[in-house]
Amino acid sequence: MTEWREDTLPPAAIGPLGWLLVVVRIIPFALVTYGGLVALLLVRAFEAPFYGKARPVTPFITQGVCKAALWIIGLRVVRHGVPMQGRGAVVANHSSWLDIFTLNACDRVYFVSKAEVAKWPGIGWLARATGTVFIARDPAEAKAQQGVFEGRLRAGHRLLFFPEGTSTDSLRVLPFKSTLFAAFFTHGMEHVMHIQPVSVRYITPKWADARVYGWWGAMDFAPHLLRILAQPRQGRVEITFHSAVAVDDFKGRKDLAAHCEAVIRAGHQAHGPDALLN
């Protein structure tokens, strides 16, 4: 059987109706996304001198933009559970670039992403402006990066990690890498930190490929965006906020990573009462 990473989506056959939907959706999508970016940068210019690393205003702009963008696309967001309040971090499974919009629509978080994303046209600009933390896959930089994590966490930022280390076809949860969890066990952070696991599950229309919202392997961004915009009817994404856990309830990063993986994997399959966001 073909390994799932190599079994990518077939090229989309977009007809006249599909291209009409692309035009109708992509213009307001771009205006909302990049208009929001301009507004965020303007507000941040006044916010930074007074609050430094703290961002009391701009995360609300990011959240509003993401909700509006998803409404334009037509992708419904269904939330289960409640985002935690107070100091802590969030960990979630990772399926697609859409995760950035869907998770931001549900909670005001700051993503942790691989360094290459900062150089991607369009997406990189958005990521930098919204306070994303970029990490390099270089052991020599591990100590410095851990210091960045600690500084952001102590500033009250809820960082969101994708412990799988890559995105998937949206149908599975990969084994978690425990390395990033080490930041929660240094300099007394374990005594004040809580971690909230979050499951993300995309549900497609019955007629569509079940993997259509997944973005993995060597797939290009632009064709995937066009495929989604061209769909006459969208599915939904279900975001499940599980109970937050205290870091010092665990012996170390591996135990904490294993707990979060088990909870998220179970939540990827089952859901309870929901709250429709849009």
Side-chain angles (χ1 to χ4, degrees), residues 146-198:
Q146 188 157 314
V148 173
F149 293 156
E150 287 185 37
R152 295 288 294 271
L153 291 168
R154 291 184 186 278
H157 294 187
R158 278 201 301 280
L159 299 183
L160 192 149
F161 297 79
F162 293 122
E164 293 163 292
T166 187
S167 56
T168 70
D169 60 0
S170 80
L171 303 183
R172 67 200 74 241
V173 176
L174 302 179
F176 281 13
K177 302 178 187 300
S178 64
T179 309
L180 290 177
F181 288 84
F184 308 138
F185 289 90
T186 57
H187 303 119
M189 293 291 287
E190 66 271 23
H191 302 309
V192 296
M193 287 284 296
H194 285 73
I195 307 298
Q196 184 169 37
V198 175

Side-chain angles (χ1 to χ4, degrees), residues 15-94:
L17 174 61
W19 283 114
L20 177 61
L21 288 171
V22 168
V23 173
V24 168
R25 288 169 172 167
I26 201 168
I27 294 174
F29 180 83
L31 288 174
V32 164
T33 303
Y34 289 100
L37 172 61
V38 171
L40 186 148
L41 292 173
L42 290 173
V43 173
R44 183 60 186 159
F46 292 94
E47 183 183 57
F50 291 98
Y51 296 99
K53 290 183 179 179
R55 295 182 177 224
V57 179
T58 48
F60 289 92
I61 298 175
T62 302
Q63 187 173 43
V65 167
C66 290
K67 287 182 177 181
L70 292 171
W71 181 83
I72 291 166
I73 292 173
L75 182 63
R76 293 187 303 144
V77 179
V78 180
R79 191 190 72 201
H80 309 274
V82 180
M84 70 177 182
Q85 301 299 314
R87 180 172 293 181
V90 179
V91 295
N93 60 296
H94 189 22

Side-chain angles (χ1 to χ4, degrees), residues 248-265:
D248 59 6
D249 284 347
F250 298 85
K251 294 180 180 179
R253 60 182 174 86
K254 292 184 178 181
D255 289 337
L256 178 57
H259 169 80
C260 291
E261 179 184 337
V263 170
I264 289 171
R265 190 180 298 278

Side-chain angles (χ1 to χ4, degrees), residues 124-148:
W125 305 332
L126 292 170
R128 286 194 298 271
T130 53
T132 298
V133 179
F134 298 104
I135 56 173
R137 298 173 182 176
D138 183 353
E141 297 186 31
K143 188 173 182 180
Q145 289 176 162
Q146 188 157 314
V148 173

